Amino acid sequence: MRTLAFDGRMGASGDMILAALLAAGADRDALSPVEEALDVRYEASTTVKNGISATRVRVLLDGEDDDDREGADGESEGDAGSSDEEDEHHRAHTHEGDHGHGQSHDRNHGHDHHDHDHTHDHDHDTGDAHATPAEGHGPHRAYAEVVEIVESMGLPGSVERDAKAVFRILGEAESSVHGTDLAETHFHEVGADDAIADVVGACLLLADLGVDRVVTAPVATGGGEQTMAHGTYPVPTPAVVEIAERADWSLKGGPVEAELLTPTGAAILAHVAEGVETLPALRIDDSGYGAGGYDFSDHPNVLRVLVGDGAGRLSRDEITVLETNLDDASPELLGNLQSTLTEAGARDVTVLPATMKKSRPGHLVKVVVKPEDAERVAHRLAVETGTLGVREHGAGHRWIADRTFETAELEIGGETYRVAVKVAADATGETYDRSAEFDDAASVADATDLPVREVMRRAESAVDPSD
């Protein structure tokens, strides 16, 4: 199984993820849909962090002369007074939105919000120091506006769904922190062009690498305090904590007094990565380091990515779930849904008893489908049952085994009978289940007067090499 592993011992941000994926072999040209849609460009350059050569990525405004380097708020790029990674960290945590508080982003960073011992020496960078960074560029957008922009980019379906899922994680975290509804949540800097470029760019590069599984070891948050638009908060900041509650991986503090994990970085990892306690065994094909903006005396501020063949367990399969409540469906109709919905593209159909309004008995129908089949299956479900609405839980995934079929040949009473047996194995090739097909076994049972379960047992034993 082709596996990508993030080593987040020095945290992660959107630009660090972009840089690490490029360094690990993703095609720079895969980012062109974002550049065309947002009128920005990605600049990749090389820097050195504590002796490690790493890739650095900046999102720059396109189509401006070097002499015209004024930002959206009238401050020039040279006034920032901090590294690009500090700007990423700061803007990622000042996007709580203008919920009547009147906050605005201070490009000058007039407060000393990183009170620890480090420097920001970028003498090794080879990028265009005179280009205009896109940070903070664009209006402060609501969640729905960001989704609309992503949908307008003409992205591949899986990439669009991934990007929207990341922004939903960010939006839900913000709405939880501020006690607002998702629809009312306004992104501040995370709704700006550069943050959209970070999220969508990361999804495009992951798709380009074509990996089957993404994992991350525990991600470092740093420590100390962080000053944001609403005040000073401990690291990890509230948004990162909210996102981590939705993630499959663990946080760990340190190893320095600085903010190492941004909400954008956390949200990307929360959507794409499975948590592991240690990096898995990999036969490494590619690796890369994405540079952050800090320079510490003992710790290289980089995000490492490893790509290779790994001893994975189950494969990740992208799905969505449809469901509807029925209170007037006949048993015959419900029984027929298995075949009719499967013909329309359903991967699994479940009918559960339920208690409806006014204590009426009813049923809950749940259907697992591939995202691209959702509308067709939902329509078939509606016309078959007469339901007035079908709910969709949204893009997600399931873990599935590699499934193959073998044919068992059974000698019974001088006759040879054939029964199909489904064999389930993980990605390492280790078989963990064999299951005879019931219809085949039932036919053999009818012809031989053996119990169905005995036919199934013999068939499963016949394809087990250990017997």
Side-chain angles (χ1 to χ4, degrees):
M1 175 183 291
R2 185 166 170 81
T3 300
L4 183 147
F6 286 103
D7 182 358
R9 68 187 66 198
M10 285 300 291
S13 62
D15 53 344
M16 291 173 75
I17 292 173
L18 283 174
L21 295 175
L22 286 173
D27 188 355
R28 165 67 177 76
D29 291 342
L31 298 170
S32 59
V34 179
E35 294 178 315
E36 295 168 2
L38 296 180
D39 199 24
V40 299
R41 60 185 172 91
Y42 296 90
E43 180 193 75
S45 58
T46 301
T47 188
V48 175
K49 296 289 183 180
N50 297 71
I52 294 178
S53 179
T55 298
R56 176 193 182 203
V57 169
R58 294 194 300 166
V59 180
L60 305 174
L61 298 182
D62 204 7
E64 290 194 14
D65 295 329
D66 287 349
D67 292 336
D68 183 17
R69 296 190 288 118
E70 294 295 308
D73 56 2
E75 301 293 337
S76 69
E77 187 238 344
D79 290 336
S82 62
S83 70
D84 291 316
E85 183 67 8
E86 281 186 283
D87 290 335
E88 163 68 14
H89 289 170
H90 180 76
R91 68 178 183 266
H93 288 291
T94 53
H95 66 247
E96 289 88 351
D98 184 9
H99 304 298
H101 303 299
Q103 279 79 11
S104 63
H105 179 58
D106 181 6
R107 292 278 310 274
N108 285 310
H109 306 298
H111 52 269
D112 182 12
H113 63 280
H114 293 295
D115 185 14
H116 45 74
D117 183 17
H118 66 274
T119 60
H120 302 283
D121 182 3
H122 295 288
D123 291 343
H124 301 287
D125 290 341
T126 58
D128 182 2
H130 300 294
T132 306
E135 66 223 24
H137 179 75
H140 302 162
R141 301 179 176 101
Y143 166 75
E145 293 176 289
V146 174
V147 170
E148 185 177 350
I149 290 173
V150 172
E151 291 176 340
S152 71
M153 289 184 175
L155 302 168
S158 61
V159 174
E160 179 181 307
R161 287 190 292 272
D162 285 339
K164 287 161 63 176
V166 172
F167 277 110
R168 186 174 186 89
I169 291 170
L170 282 165
E172 289 177 345
E174 285 302 312
S175 63
S176 178
V177 168
H178 298 293
T180 60
D181 293 331
L182 179 61
E184 299 173 357
T185 299
H186 283 70
F187 291 133
H188 192 187
E189 299 304 326
V190 166
D193 290 349
D194 65 313
I196 296 175
D198 283 346
V199 170
V200 179
C203 295
L204 284 165
L205 296 181
L206 277 169
D208 180 72
L209 286 171
V211 296
D212 303 306
R213 183 187 184 202
V214 179
V215 301
T216 182
V219 185
T221 64
E225 295 180 336
Q226 171 69 35
T227 299
M228 300 179 294
H230 294 290
T232 300
Y233 298 89
V235 172
T237 54
V240 169
V241 171
E242 287 291 334
I243 292 169
E245 291 181 8
R246 297 164 169 80
D248 184 48
W249 36 261
S250 304
L251 296 180
K252 64 178 182 179
V256 295
E257 292 290 294
E259 185 198 13
L260 299 180
L261 179 61
T262 69
T264 302
I268 294 171
L269 294 180
H271 176 62
V272 305
E274 169 194 355
V276 293
E277 288 305 309
T278 60
L279 292 176
L282 290 175
R283 182 173 296 172
I284 297 176
D285 298 325
D286 293 290
S287 63
Y289 295 86
Y294 295 130
D295 288 295
F296 302 107
S297 59
D298 299 323
H299 300 278
N301 185 208
V302 295
L303 173 65
R304 180 167 66 174
V305 163
L306 308 174
V307 182
D309 290 330
R313 296 164 293 177
L314 301 178
S315 300
R316 180 172 169 138
D317 183 40
E318 190 174 12
I319 58 152
T320 190
V321 178
L322 308 174
E323 67 177 31
T324 190
N325 294 338
L326 304 174
D327 62 4
D328 58 355
S330 68
E332 293 82 4
L333 185 153
L334 293 172
N336 195 49
L337 286 178
Q338 288 282 353
S339 59
T340 56
L341 297 182
T342 299
E343 289 173 2
R347 300 306 173 98
D348 193 23
V349 180
T350 304
V351 180
L352 302 172
T355 301
M356 314 292 287
K357 291 184 295 185
K358 299 182 180 179
S359 299
R360 292 196 302 267
H363 294 86
L364 170 64
V365 180
K366 297 175 72 73
V367 187
V368 176
V369 298
K370 298 290 287 183
E372 57 269 25
D373 298 328
E375 192 279 332
R376 181 175 64 254
V377 176
H379 179 264
R380 186 64 177 269
L381 177 58
V383 298
E384 288 286 343
T385 64
T387 184
L388 300 179
V390 177
R391 299 180 296 276
E392 181 176 358
H393 286 301
H397 67 270
R398 61 177 178 173
W399 297 104
I400 60 173
D402 292 332
R403 285 163 284 184
T404 59
F405 284 89
E406 298 184 21
T407 300
E409 294 189 351
L410 305 180
E411 297 291 336
I412 304 174
E415 298 288 337
T416 300
Y417 299 93
R418 291 176 175 82
V419 177
V421 178
K422 182 163 54 180
V423 180
D426 64 21
T428 68
E430 181 178 352
T431 297
Y432 66 86
D433 186 63
R434 296 171 179 84
S435 179
E437 290 294 285
F438 181 84
D439 289 346
D440 288 358
S443 296
V444 174
D446 287 342
T448 62
D449 289 330
L450 287 173
V452 174
R453 64 177 184 173
E454 174 61 17
V455 176
M456 296 179 71
R457 185 194 66 79
R458 293 188 187 188
E460 290 161 7
S461 296
V463 299
D464 187 348
S466 64
D467 290 350

